[in-house]
Each structure stands twice: as C-alpha cells, then as structure tokens.
Amino acid sequence: MITHFSVVSVFLTAFGSKNSSIHFVTEFILLGFSNQGEMQSFFFCSILILYLLTLLGNGTIVCAVRWDQRLHTPMYIFLGNFAFLEIWYVSSTIPNMLVNILSENKTISFSACFLQFYFFFSLGTTECFFLSAMAYDRYLAICRPLHYPSIMTRKFCVILICICWVSGFLCYPVPIVLISQLPFCGPNIIDHFVCDPGPLFALSCVPAPSTELLCYTFNSMIIFGPFFCILGSYTLVLRAVFRVPSGAGRTKAFSTCGSHLVVVSLFYGTLMVMYVSPTSGNPAGMQKIVTLIYSALTPLLNPLIYTLRNKEMKNALKKLLKLTIIQN
C-alpha cells in the first residue's frame, strides 16, 4: 500500500524543486471555538456539564436494563445497547474538545486526527443502524403482534445488535484511507472541533473531486439507507395504529413509538444538514453548531426522551435509585 509519505513525495517531485520548500503536515490545528476567547470558560463549563450529564443519563439506562429482569426484552435490550453506544459516541469527541479549549496550541497529530475521524463516524454509522433495527422491532411489535415473540427472539435480537456494531465499524476504513492518502502540505488549520472530511478536503494540496464525490455519495448511502428503512417501518406502524378501533389502543401505540420518532428526527435532521450535499456551503460557525447538536446534545436528550415517555423504564430507574441508596 502506498503510504501518505510516498504520495507526498511523488507530489513534490512532480512540482519540481521550485516547491521543494513544501513540508509534509504531521499535525493539524483544531480551532474549535477559539474565536470567542472571552467565552472559553463558559464553553468549557457548559460542555463539561453536558458531557457528565450524558454519561450519567445513558449509564443509568444501561444499568437499569442490565439489572432489572423485567427489562430483559428485545425492546429494552436495544435501548440498553443504544445508550451504551451513546456513551462512546459522545466520548469520541467531547474529551478532546475540552482539552482543546484549554490548550494554547490546539494541535492534534495526523494519526490522532484520522483515528478520531474513524471512531466518530463509525459510531455515528452504528447509531444509524441501531435506529433502523429499533424501528423494525417496533414494526413487528405493532403490525405483527402475534408473530412478534417467534420472530424477535432473544437470539435474533443479539444477532441484529452484533450486525449493527460490526457493520458500523466496517464502513469507514476505505473512505478514511482514501482521504489520508491525499497530500497535506499546509496550511494545517481546521476551523472545527473535530476532524471532519469537509475541512480535510479543503486542506488537501491538490483537488480530489473523485474522492470527494465518492465519500459524499457513501455518506448519503449510509444516511439514507437506514433512514428509508425507518421511514418504511413507521409508515406501516402508523397505518396499523390508525386502524386500531379504541382511542386507548392508539394512544398506547403512539406512546411506544413517539420517543423513537423524536430521537430519529433530532439525529437525522442535523445529520442531513451536514453530510447529504457536498455543495451545501455551510459556514464554519454553522457546521460547528450543527455538529455539536447531533454529536453532543442529542446523546444527552436521548435518555430523557426515552425515560420520560416510558413507564417501565421510569419504574426500573426508581428501583435502581432505591437500591443504590440502600447500598450506600
């Protein structure tokens, strides 16, 4: 495999001695929110509180699903894994963001940048797959209730969960390798708080329209594939719900699916703004805000959305809280 160094060497040779002063970029500078110098302390405290609350909320859901036998059903097993995923998803960016806010040079090595890129996008892709699997679970529960126990067995549930995790982490090695092979010879300033493909393409010494088109097409497929599965599942769910004769039955069905639809709307709404169109031309400030919403704010809201609208989960959390108090 051609290394990043060899690609740069070929590039420099092609340009001749006139450009021999060009140097290989070994690190990037993540500007983050550095333009608001007087607001650094506010940003640091706000993001730290948001991060801790996210860990606490999703960690509580994981513990509740793990320890309460009544929640050992496919729906809650999916929810527990989803909460576990959110912990790692937010941890792929927030700790580095906090260090970046306090740092003076705000640098990140070439390898660390693409490592963050890999985990951030792999976990985000896994979340897309999980939302799709959870929508399928709700479709079976509402549209095929008599067949649900025989189809959504615990074994099948575990298989779906494994597919989501493995597929999510197998999707992005190729795009990351392609982008990492681009020649980066300066400048090395990324006006963002994460290593995102858009700013990285902008820093490449030579245009790479084919690689850029490939990556944005791939991103669109990753986003729209699960999204259409979710849309199809909930179209069938809503059609089935409207056929329920009793108002109480419709309310219960909507309550079961409402929280999931809110989470899907929050996550996909911001995701499509960022990655669907390669020519969206979003300014750097808007990119940071949108990325912060789906990478940090959404994982914080997810446990609140699920627990506030779910009676079984609220009872399990109360039981867990009582157990914690008794043990202490």
Side-chain angles (χ1 to χ4, degrees), residues 209-238:
S210 58
T211 301
E212 191 170 353
L213 178 62
L214 176 65
C215 290
Y216 279 112
T217 302
F218 185 76
N219 284 338
S220 298
M221 292 172 60
I222 291 295
I223 293 172
F224 280 112
F227 178 73
F228 284 133
C229 290
I230 295 169
L231 193 62
S233 295
Y234 277 105
T235 299
L236 296 174
V237 166
L238 290 175

Side-chain angles (χ1 to χ4, degrees), residues 191 282-290:
D191 192 7
N282 296 319
M286 181 60 68
Q287 289 183 7
K288 295 177 189 178
I289 293 172
V290 174

Side-chain angles (χ1 to χ4, degrees), residues 53-102:
L53 289 176
T54 302
L55 295 182
L56 178 63
N58 286 284
T60 303
I61 289 179
V62 172
C63 293
V65 174
R66 173 67 179 83
W67 289 329
D68 195 323
Q69 295 292 327
R70 294 172 299 179
L71 300 184
H72 289 184
T73 61
M75 186 176 96
Y76 293 108
I77 293 174
F78 278 122
L79 180 56
N81 274 269
F82 187 72
F84 181 71
L85 168 66
E86 294 289 56
I87 292 173
W88 288 104
Y89 184 51
V90 75
S91 297
S92 67
T93 56
I94 297 297
N96 183 75
M97 191 190 310
L98 293 172
V99 173
N100 183 277
I101 291 175
L102 297 179

Side-chain angles (χ1 to χ4, degrees), residues 44 100 152 169 195:
F44 180 84
N100 183 277
M152 189 56 71
F169 278 84
C195 288

Side-chain angles (χ1 to χ4, degrees), residues 320-328:
L320 180 63
L321 181 59
K322 291 179 182 178
L323 181 63
T324 304
I325 294 173
I326 292 174
Q327 289 179 345
N328 294 333

Side-chain angles (χ1 to χ4, degrees), residues 32-273:
F33 298 100
S34 61
N35 293 334
Q36 296 83 12
E38 68 280 359
M39 299 290 287
Q40 292 295 306
S41 298
F42 171 76
F43 277 125
F44 180 84
C45 293
S46 300
I47 294 172
L48 178 61
I49 292 172
L50 183 149
Y51 179 55
L52 294 176
L53 289 176
T54 302
L55 295 182
L56 178 63
N58 286 284
T60 303
I61 289 179
V62 172
C63 293
V65 174
R66 173 67 179 83
W67 289 329
D68 195 323
Q69 295 292 327
R70 294 172 299 179
L71 300 184
H72 289 184
T73 61
M75 186 176 96
Y76 293 108
I77 293 174
F78 278 122
L79 180 56
N81 274 269
F82 187 72
F84 181 71
L85 168 66
E86 294 289 56
I87 292 173
W88 288 104
Y89 184 51
V90 75
S91 297
S92 67
T93 56
I94 297 297
N96 183 75
M97 191 190 310
L98 293 172
V99 173
N100 183 277
I101 291 175
L102 297 179
S103 173
E104 292 185 1
N105 54 24
K106 303 183 184 301
T107 59
I108 183 172
S109 70
F110 185 91
S111 299
C113 180
F114 281 92
L115 193 63
Q116 182 194 64
F117 183 173
Y118 172 70
F119 280 104
F120 180 56
F121 279 83
S122 295
L123 289 165
T125 302
T126 305
E127 181 162 343
C128 291
F129 293 155
F130 258 108
L131 290 172
S132 180
M134 292 166 74
Y136 176 65
D137 175 70
R138 292 301 85 207
Y139 157 74
L140 289 177
I142 293 175
C143 298
R144 304 184 64 184
L146 298 179
H147 298 91
Y148 180 79
S150 60
I151 297 176
M152 189 56 71
T153 61
R154 186 162 183 173
K155 180 180 179 180
F156 183 57
C157 176
V158 172
I159 291 174
L160 285 179
I161 289 171
C162 291
I163 290 174
C164 290
W165 280 103
V166 174
S167 300
F169 278 84
L170 288 179
C171 284
Y172 270 91
V174 172
I176 286 176
V177 168
L178 290 175
I179 297 175
S180 68
Q181 299 304 305
L182 296 175
F184 297 97
C185 49
N188 65 337
I189 299 175
I190 298 176
D191 192 7
H192 213 314
F193 56 80
V194 295
C195 288
D196 197 72
L200 287 171
F201 279 124
L203 293 180
S204 175
C205 298
V206 293
S210 58
T211 301
E212 191 170 353
L213 178 62
L214 176 65
C215 290
Y216 279 112
T217 302
F218 185 76
N219 284 338
S220 298
M221 292 172 60
I222 291 295
I223 293 172
F224 280 112
F227 178 73
F228 284 133
C229 290
I230 295 169
L231 193 62
S233 295
Y234 277 105
T235 299
L236 296 174
V237 166
L238 290 175
R239 192 170 71 174
V241 167
F242 286 124
R243 290 177 179 174
V244 175
S246 67
R250 286 195 297 269
T251 301
K252 183 178 179 181
F254 275 122
S255 178
T256 303
C257 301
S259 56
H260 190 202
L261 284 172
V262 172
V263 170
V264 169
S265 300
L266 282 172
F267 182 71
Y268 270 96
T270 52
L271 206 61
M272 288 181 181
V273 171

